[in-house]
């Protein structure tokens, strides 16, 4: 198959198509996650969960009851509800900012994914090419820079609502997101110190991180979660806080702040916040997996290229670049979904921290830990390369 | 900004602080429609940042005038209204009310009736504490506990339905007895419930008891000292959580509680965690009591047979005997006949001591009926406990006091 016609298209058309692809991929996954959340919470709590909805026209299809029991159609019903129900704007809100907030929440959530590589394939020259919208050198920096803009949407929503609960939620959110960003950034520095050690590549690209974890040999093929477990742990905890998930869901803790920053929102605007939260979760999990869990490599010490080469002996089409790309994406998405399952598992198991405890953990425990971690690895790497 | 409700003297302080530090206190209406005020309680909070500087509970959103209603109906007709007091343990309310009126009539009910009532009370206690536990889980953010405990409550509701014909508003007791005898095989099913309940209870409690986040949220939060607990008239697990071993079932036994062996769990520090532990242990003790009752379940009548003017006769007798027909008619229209006098009785309900003060001038209708509701008295300490707490602490304190607004506002 020849895809060269695609590269002959004008740049703006290509970019538009790529942008659309992002939305078309992220939105359904985020929506499916909201469904999964309901189903998984139901299974954790010993109840069936949504299992009734089915479009009447489809009810005759044999075997479709499996999808019905899994609540797949509930997803469409939910989405349709958000679009069609009344979209109230309470009196006394600052209308411009009130409407701008959910849109602002979506922008960083969708744009960070552009620098996340989803897989890789071998081109005709035998060179590994990442499947990514923008394989920029500053990859991770771009993720951090853009995703931290998400806090503006939360503050704006809290402030523009002209209501006290959203206001408190917005204040909490701003403090929390800023505190945990620090430890999150510090926790990934050892990874890049390791990669960029004297004689290294000098990059922040996420693709290169995965490449680094795909090298031959015992230390080359080890995922960073084995070599830097503390970094991975700090990153994971900070990720929970950054994505406002329980036990750190201070900005929206429903037992004391009703709905937090989105108390006054309804219908489609509320669902935009919701989808943005899930997009953050997906991108956050993706980055976590790229950094610490080997990206699209199926197992530690087993790289994607190796496994495709092994498969090529059995399956004739496995040598095709498309197969390798698809396999890589499938493995990567599988890991992301498991990570999201982990998020949900934690949410439905643990109680919620108090606001001051969240700040204590962020500043007094996680930050010193990540600094110590950084110093230890810096010294270790310096000694190794001496 | 002070509100119209509120704290004029604090308003002056706020102004002074605002001038000095350029800060402003915020007043926040928590409730009456708020996910964790357990009904329609409203707390008018005055916040300095997230710290509560003043808390003003505002009650009465669920006031139905139960006490006045009681003056306009016969004693038996008021039983359904007691369901709606502490609607998480209607059976216990029924029993407390019936015993109060029986004390007025100086009536002794047979042992079987007492045994049935004890089972009712203890199952109601388990049911109420399970809900308190589950709701507390939600308050601190652990959702699944709520659904686990509701699964057990569902089993209890099935038992209640078999016994009383209703899942929720049981209206089971009558003055001088209970509405009907226990159904066949019901005792065995209660026994089976007890057997399977204890391991599940351990499982539910294990989710919270040693959970670091849960202990962080509850230990040292909302401390009520022993003196305060007594001074504010706290009863039930809230009082025992503060270390006072006061339980009406032991201290002023009624309905045959004297013959059963059980322990009174008490807390040491009086914080939210202690109150939570007390409730957990009380459920175990309730199971223990129920098992003892089932072991020696008395035979005989389930109502006071000699009290012809008080307990309406059974249907088959009404249809065959003239005298019984007249009695039935008189009890239904005029109400059970009571002597004149005053009586106060309180029972150890799941939330605390539920008391009924009845003034009778004779006849079938009370002249005045005053309800001492434990939730109302327990809430009185709220302004003191919430002072200086964080907003999230208020939620965890409210949950640990485990009140019901239906009983509080009456």
């Amino acid at each position: 198959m020849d895809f060269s016609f695609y590269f002959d298209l004008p740049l703006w058309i290509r970019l538009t198509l790529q942008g659309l692809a992002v939305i078309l991929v992220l939105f359904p996954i985020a929506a499916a996650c909201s469904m999964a959340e309901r189903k998984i919470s139901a299974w954790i709590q010993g109840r069936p969960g949504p299992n009734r909805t089915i479009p009447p026209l489809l009810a005759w299809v044999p075997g479709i009851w499996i999808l019905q029991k899994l609540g797949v159609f509930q997803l469409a019903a939910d989405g349709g509800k958000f679009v069609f129900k009344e979209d109230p704007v309470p009196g006394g809100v600052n209308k411009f900012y009130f409407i701008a907030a959910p849109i602002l929440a979506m922008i960083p959530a969708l744009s960070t994914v552009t620098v996340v590589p989803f897989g890789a394939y071998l081109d005709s020259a035998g060179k590994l090419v990442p499947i990514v919208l923008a394989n920029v050198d500053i990859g991770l920096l771009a993720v951090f820079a853009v995703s931290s803009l998400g806090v503006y949407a939360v503050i704006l929503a809290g402030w523009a609502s002209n209501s006290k609960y959203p206001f408190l939620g917005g204040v909490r959110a701003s403090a929390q997101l800023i505190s945990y960003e620090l430890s999150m950034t510090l926790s990934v520095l050892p990874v890049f110190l390791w990669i960029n050690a004297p004689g290294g590549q000098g990059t922040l690209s996420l693709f290169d991180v995965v490449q680094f974890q795909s090298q031959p040999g015992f230390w080359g093929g080890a995922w960073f979660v084995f070599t830097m477990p503390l970094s991975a742990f700090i990153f994971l905890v900070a990720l929970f806080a950054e994505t406002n998930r329980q036990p750190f869901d201070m900005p929206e803790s429903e037992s004391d702040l009703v709905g937090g920053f989105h108390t006054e929102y309804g219908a489609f605007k509320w669902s935009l916040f919701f989808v943005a939260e899930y997009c953050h979760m997906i991108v956050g999990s993706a980055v976590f997996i790229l950094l610490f869990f080997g990206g699209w490599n199926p197992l530690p010490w087993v790289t994607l290229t190796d496994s495709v080469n092994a498969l090529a002996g059995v399956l004739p089409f496995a040598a095709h670049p498309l197969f390798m790309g698809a396999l890589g994406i499938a493995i990567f998405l599988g890991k992301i979904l498991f990570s999201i399952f982990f998020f949900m598992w934690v949410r439905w198991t643990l109680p919620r921290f108090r606001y001051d405890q969240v700040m204590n953990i962020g500043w007094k425990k996680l930050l010193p830990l990540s600094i110590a971690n950084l110093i230890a690895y810096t010294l270790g790497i310096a000694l190794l390369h001496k | 900004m002070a509100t119209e409700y509120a704290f004029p003297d604090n308003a002056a302080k706020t102004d002074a602080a605002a001038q000095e530090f350029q800060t402003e206190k915020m007043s926040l209406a928590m409730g009456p429609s708020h996910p964790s005020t357990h009904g329609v309680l409203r707390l008018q909070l005055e916040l300095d940042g997230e710290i509560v500087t003043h808390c003003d509970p505002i009650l009465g959103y669920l006031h139905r005038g139960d006490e006045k209603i009681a003056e306009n109906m016969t004693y038996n007709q008021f039983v359904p209204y007691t369901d709606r007091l502490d609607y998480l343990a209607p059976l216990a309310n029924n029993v407390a009310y019936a015993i109060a009126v029986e004390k007025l009539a100086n009536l002794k009910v047979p042992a079987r009736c007492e045994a049935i009532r004890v089972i009712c009370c203890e199952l109601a206690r388990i049911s109420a504490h399970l809900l308190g536990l589950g709701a507390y889980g939600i308050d601190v953010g652990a959702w699944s506990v709520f659904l686990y405990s509701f699964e057990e409550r569902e089993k209890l509701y099935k038992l209640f339905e078999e016994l009383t014909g209703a899942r929720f508003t049981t209206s089971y007791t009558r003055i001088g007895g209970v509405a009907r005898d226990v159904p066949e095989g019901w005792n065995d099913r209660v026994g089976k419930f007890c057997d399977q309940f204890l391991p599940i209870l351990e499982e539910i409690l294990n989710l919270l008891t040693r959970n670091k986040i849960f202990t962080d949220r509850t230990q040292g939060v909302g401390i009520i000292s022993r003196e305060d607990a007594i001074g504010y008239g706290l009863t039930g697990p809230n009082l025992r959580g503060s270390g006072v071993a006061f339980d009406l079932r032991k201290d002023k036994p009624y309905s045959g509680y004297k013959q059963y062996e059980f322990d009174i769990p008490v807390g040491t520090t009086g914080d939210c965690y202690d109150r939570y532990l007390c409730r957990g242990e009380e459920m175990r003790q309730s199971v223990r009591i129920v098992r003892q009752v089932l072991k020696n379940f008395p035979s005989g009548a389930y109502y006071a047979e000699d009290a012809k003017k008080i307990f309406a006769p059974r249907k088959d007798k009404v249809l065959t005997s003239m005298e019984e027909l007249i009695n039935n008619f008189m009890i239904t229209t005029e109400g059970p006949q009571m002597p004149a006098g005053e009586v106060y009785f309180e029972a150890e309900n799941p939330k605390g001591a539920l008391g009924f003060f009845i003034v009778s001038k004779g006849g079938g209708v009370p002249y005045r009926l005053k309800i001492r509701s434990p939730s109302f008295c327990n809430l009185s300490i709220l302004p003191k406990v919430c002072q200086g707490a964080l907003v999230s602490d208020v939620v965890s304190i409210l949950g640990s006091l485990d009140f019901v607004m239906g009983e509080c506002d009456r």
Side-chain angles (χ1 to χ4, degrees):
Chain A
M1 247 185 288
D2 187 20
F3 294 103
S4 57
F5 71 90
Y6 176 74
F7 296 101
D8 298 337
L9 289 171
L11 185 68
W12 67 271
I13 294 187
R14 268 162 53 194
L15 290 181
T16 315
L17 282 177
Q18 288 177 344
L20 268 180
V22 168
I23 296 176
L24 285 181
V25 169
L26 258 194
F27 247 72
I29 300 182
C33 285
S34 75
M35 196 62 243
E37 177 105 63
R38 295 174 67 176
K39 226 34 193 176
I40 288 168
S41 70
W43 288 330
I44 288 177
Q45 294 164 350
R47 50 191 178 89
N51 64 351
R52 304 285 172 88
T53 323
I54 191 164
L57 290 173
L58 283 180
W60 59 271
V61 179
I64 205 163
W65 60 270
I66 299 175
L67 294 182
Q68 185 191 7
K69 292 280 173 227
L70 281 174
V72 171
F73 303 111
Q74 185 77 31
L75 185 66
D78 270 356
K81 180 193 76 176
F82 283 132
V83 176
F84 289 117
K85 76 193 275 193
E86 190 193 348
D87 194 352
V89 177
V93 304
N94 187 328
K95 242 184 202 169
F96 177 72
Y97 293 124
F98 186 78
I99 293 170
I103 300 168
L104 276 181
M106 284 307 295
I107 292 171
L110 288 181
S111 28
T112 40
V113 81
T114 48
V115 298
V116 173
F118 273 79
Y121 65 92
L122 288 167
D123 66 0
S124 47
K127 190 170 170 284
L128 207 59
V129 183
I131 302 171
V132 58
L133 288 178
N135 187 25
V136 286
D137 261 355
I138 53 161
L140 188 75
L141 209 55
V143 171
F144 282 153
V146 179
S147 71
S148 63
L149 292 178
V151 69
Y152 286 104
V154 175
I155 298 175
L156 214 53
W159 179 75
S161 294
N162 189 28
S163 166
K164 284 166 187 173
Y165 289 108
F167 173 71
L168 281 174
V171 171
R172 284 183 181 186
S174 51
Q176 177 184 333
L177 296 187
I178 291 166
S179 327
Y180 278 81
E181 225 148 61
L182 222 53
S183 2
M184 193 180 213
T185 318
L186 287 180
S187 75
V188 297
L189 280 183
V191 173
F192 288 94
L193 286 177
W194 189 282
I195 292 178
N196 297 326
Q201 299 137 309
T203 176
L204 279 174
S205 158
L206 288 164
F207 176 65
D208 293 333
V209 178
V210 180
Q211 281 312 96
F212 197 86
Q213 296 175 68
S214 322
Q215 293 171 24
F218 181 77
W219 289 108
W223 292 354
F224 280 124
V225 67
F226 301 119
T227 45
M228 302 175 182
L230 196 58
S231 284
F233 174 73
I234 296 170
F235 188 85
L236 186 65
V237 173
L239 192 59
F240 271 91
E242 286 288 301
T243 50
N244 295 341
R245 292 290 293 191
Q246 196 135 325
F248 298 100
D249 60 342
M250 285 305 111
E252 50 195 295
S253 64
E254 75 272 339
S255 64
D256 45 339
L257 292 190
V258 191
F261 64 90
H262 55 54
T263 307
E264 302 289 342
Y265 282 88
F268 199 64
K269 290 205 275 294
W270 180 84
S271 73
L272 281 183
F273 279 121
F274 201 60
V275 171
E277 187 189 314
Y278 279 108
C279 288
H280 273 303
M281 257 167 74
I282 294 167
V283 174
S285 311
V287 172
F288 180 57
I289 283 158
L290 289 170
L291 288 177
F292 296 106
F293 281 86
W296 45 84
N297 292 324
L299 288 169
W301 297 286
V302 180
T303 64
L304 181 65
T305 325
D306 289 347
S307 43
V308 168
N309 286 341
L311 276 176
V314 191
L315 303 165
F317 54 83
H320 197 281
L322 257 186
F323 177 79
M324 183 165 169
L327 186 68
I329 291 178
I331 292 170
F332 188 51
L333 278 184
K335 286 185 186 176
I336 290 181
L337 292 180
F338 181 78
S339 149
I340 288 171
F341 168 75
F342 181 73
F343 271 83
M344 292 172 183
W345 190 8
V346 168
R347 170 170 180 190
W348 296 105
T349 311
L350 291 183
R352 177 186 299 118
F353 282 114
R354 205 171 55 205
Y355 174 59
D356 61 321
Q357 291 166 349
V358 169
M359 300 308 277
N360 273 345
I361 291 169
W363 287 104
K364 291 188 186 162
K365 305 227 169 93
L366 226 45
L367 187 61
L369 199 63
S370 54
I371 292 174
N373 181 47
L374 175 61
I375 292 172
Y377 274 97
T378 313
L379 293 176
I381 292 164
L383 285 176
L384 268 179
H385 286 86
K386 203 173 170 186
Chain B
M1 271 277 297
T3 57
E4 51 178 313
Y5 281 98
F7 356 98
D9 49 0
N10 271 345
K13 281 186 221 154
T14 313
D15 290 346
Q19 278 174 3
E20 200 176 335
F21 304 111
Q22 296 296 306
T23 60
E24 202 177 310
K25 287 190 182 175
M26 181 167 91
S27 81
L28 180 73
M30 201 180 216
S33 99
H34 184 280
S36 39
T37 52
H38 296 227
V40 285
L41 172 67
R42 173 171 165 204
L43 297 178
Q44 192 66 40
L45 301 178
E46 195 193 52
L47 300 179
D48 180 10
E50 286 240 2
I51 297 167
V52 177
T53 52
H54 190 94
C55 165
D56 224 5
I58 296 163
L59 310 173
Y61 287 91
L62 203 59
H63 179 66
R64 289 148 302 177
D66 275 348
E67 292 176 5
K68 192 71 190 165
I69 288 171
E71 294 169 18
N72 295 303
M73 54 180 53
T74 65
Y75 288 101
N76 272 333
Q77 279 174 329
F78 190 65
V79 173
Y81 285 86
T82 61
D83 291 340
R84 279 115 179 128
L85 290 176
D86 172 4
Y87 42 72
L88 303 176
L91 277 171
N93 302 340
N94 295 162
V95 171
Y97 171 70
I99 297 177
V101 183
E102 282 154 16
K103 193 175 169 191
L104 176 70
N106 205 7
L107 185 70
K108 177 104 182 68
V109 293
R112 186 181 177 86
C113 174
E114 285 189 333
I116 296 174
R117 284 177 174 184
V118 168
I119 295 183
C120 286
C121 278
E122 294 312 314
L123 290 185
R125 191 181 317 278
I126 294 174
S127 156
H129 281 353
L130 273 178
L131 186 123
L133 185 70
Y136 197 38
I138 289 187
D139 286 344
V140 296
W143 266 88
S144 298
V145 176
F146 180 75
L147 281 125
Y148 293 150
S149 69
F150 256 57
E151 207 177 318
E152 293 312 293
R153 290 194 84 219
E154 184 60 32
K155 293 172 191 164
L156 279 171
Y157 271 150
K158 282 214 176 90
L159 293 173
F160 292 161
E161 191 183 11
E162 275 183 64
L163 180 69
T164 70
R167 284 158 55 84
F168 192 65
T169 49
T170 51
S171 308
Y172 182 53
T173 57
R174 299 290 179 271
I175 313 307
V178 290
R180 58 188 75 78
D181 202 359
V182 287
E184 212 176 306
W186 190 75
N187 284 356
D188 299 336
R189 289 192 282 281
V190 172
K192 264 187 208 142
F193 168 81
C194 292
D195 293 342
Q196 60 89 44
F197 172 66
L198 280 182
I200 293 178
L201 177 66
E202 297 310 318
E203 216 173 283
I204 297 173
L205 294 179
N206 272 344
L207 284 173
L208 295 177
T209 308
R210 282 168 196 282
N211 189 321
K212 182 77 175 86
I213 303 178
F214 180 74
T215 49
D216 276 356
R217 282 296 302 274
T218 51
Q219 279 178 351
V221 172
I223 297 177
I224 300 173
S225 70
R226 202 185 146 90
E227 292 71 32
D228 274 350
I230 298 170
Y232 279 83
L234 262 55
T235 45
N238 298 331
L239 176 66
R240 293 190 281 272
S242 297
V244 185
F246 175 77
D247 189 320
L248 288 167
R249 291 173 295 173
K250 270 258 200 290
D251 296 327
K252 267 170 110 182
Y254 54 92
S255 200
Y257 267 113
K258 217 184 303 180
Q259 47 188 311
Y260 307 121
E261 255 180 47
F262 60 97
D263 302 322
I264 307 173
V266 286
T268 47
T269 52
D271 54 6
C272 296
Y273 188 66
D274 275 1
R275 293 193 278 279
Y276 153 81
L277 286 182
C278 273
R279 290 204 175 82
E281 183 56 33
E282 269 181 35
M283 281 190 263
R284 295 191 195 107
Q285 296 299 328
S286 288
V287 170
R288 203 171 143 199
I289 296 174
V290 170
R291 279 181 172 159
Q292 289 174 56
V293 182
L294 290 176
K295 208 170 170 189
N296 297 313
F297 198 69
S299 54
Y302 62 93
Y303 57 92
E305 279 174 309
D306 46 336
K308 302 267 185 213
K309 300 257 184 246
I310 290 175
F311 192 86
R314 280 163 52 189
K315 199 76 178 172
D316 53 338
K317 284 189 188 157
V318 173
L319 296 176
T320 50
S321 141
M322 191 65 197
E323 192 203 1
E324 302 277 17
L325 178 66
I326 293 169
N327 272 340
N328 188 47
F329 181 77
M330 292 306 287
I331 290 170
T332 313
T333 53
E334 305 268 303
Q337 295 304 305
M338 294 291 148
E342 289 181 9
V343 70
Y344 180 71
F345 171 78
E346 53 184 5
E348 186 68 33
N349 259 34
K351 313 282 180 211
L354 174 69
F356 289 94
F357 178 66
I358 304 171
V359 180
S360 163
K361 300 213 158 175
V365 176
Y367 176 74
R368 172 84 171 92
L369 190 144
K370 165 86 179 80
I371 302 165
R372 185 250 187 234
S373 67
S375 296
F376 180 73
C377 298
N378 290 349
L379 274 183
S380 66
I381 201 165
L382 208 52
K384 176 152 192 181
V385 184
C386 286
Q387 188 89 32
L390 292 165
V391 177
S392 310
D393 283 339
V394 172
V395 171
S396 118
I397 291 168
L398 277 181
S400 79
L401 287 177
D402 192 23
F403 54 91
V404 175
M405 288 317 282
E407 177 184 60
C408 191
D409 289 344
R410 307 192 286 288

